[in-house]
Amino acid sequence: MTTSPNTPGESPVAAAPLRLALHETPDHLDGAWWPRSRVLATEAAQLVDQFPASVGRINRLLFSRPDWDDGATNGQGLRRIQAGRGPVKVGSFPRDDTHLMVLSMANGRRLRLVVVPSDTDQAEGERRMRAVATHSAHGGTDPDWARAHHESPGH
């Protein structure tokens, strides 16, 4: 059996392409992100490391705890993730269920991504990603998906 060395922050999931759709002219949402699992430490590291350089560098992430299995330990929200480029601060809203990931960029800009649940089937996930990328609208059927268009986690 042959194994390959991993660099810090790299995981088997990190090798998969990032499922990210950014809206050309942001309205209320800037895009959608469809992680492959509910493991924030792995998925957020992939988002940071594979985020398009042309859009900018992510400095901090704010997340909705209910979206992730590892968003909190002993009632305390995760405070840092280890990306391939190094540690990145993260924050959370304990009871926020808007399914949003707020990215604070190095240039001071904030981007809001709706998080498509990782267990969404392929056809529905692709439909949701297209809906946000082309219209900055959800077009989803579940209440949280529709509501996220009008809400934002607190600052």
Side-chain angles (χ1 to χ4, degrees):
M1 177 168 86
T2 305
T3 60
S4 61
N6 286 338
T7 58
E10 184 180 0
S11 70
V13 175
L18 187 63
R19 297 189 295 190
L20 177 70
L22 297 174
H23 187 52
E24 297 290 329
T25 54
D27 181 13
H28 296 287
L29 290 171
D30 297 302
W33 175 43
W34 186 13
R36 297 180 187 282
S37 75
R38 290 181 48 89
V39 180
L40 179 65
T42 300
E43 298 296 334
Q46 180 185 12
L47 179 65
V48 167
D49 290 337
Q50 293 186 20
F51 199 76
S54 61
V55 179
R57 179 182 164 119
I58 299 171
N59 276 353
R60 181 176 166 90
L61 301 167
L62 297 173
F63 65 93
S64 176
R65 285 190 198 175
D67 292 337
W68 307 100
D69 292 338
D70 62 339
T73 304
N74 298 326
Q76 297 295 314
L78 190 66
R79 306 295 295 175
R80 180 180 312 256
I81 57 108
Q82 183 63 41
R85 65 157 211 209
V88 176
K89 290 182 180 181
V90 298
S92 63
F93 306 104
R95 289 168 284 288
D96 171 56
D97 65 350
T98 57
H99 305 293
L100 291 176
M101 176 72 73
V102 180
L103 314 178
S104 294
M105 309 302 289
N107 64 7
R109 185 174 175 203
R110 290 175 62 120
L111 301 177
R112 293 179 43 215
L113 304 177
V114 68
V115 178
V116 177
S118 60
D119 62 354
T120 302
D121 72 64
Q122 188 72 25
E124 177 65 8
E126 290 172 358
R127 186 189 68 74
R128 290 180 179 195
M129 298 288 283
R130 274 192 314 274
V132 171
T134 58
H135 305 294
S136 186
H138 296 292
T141 56
D142 61 70
D144 288 330
W145 181 254
R147 186 178 60 147
H149 184 69
H150 301 290
E151 294 186 3
S152 174
H155 297 278

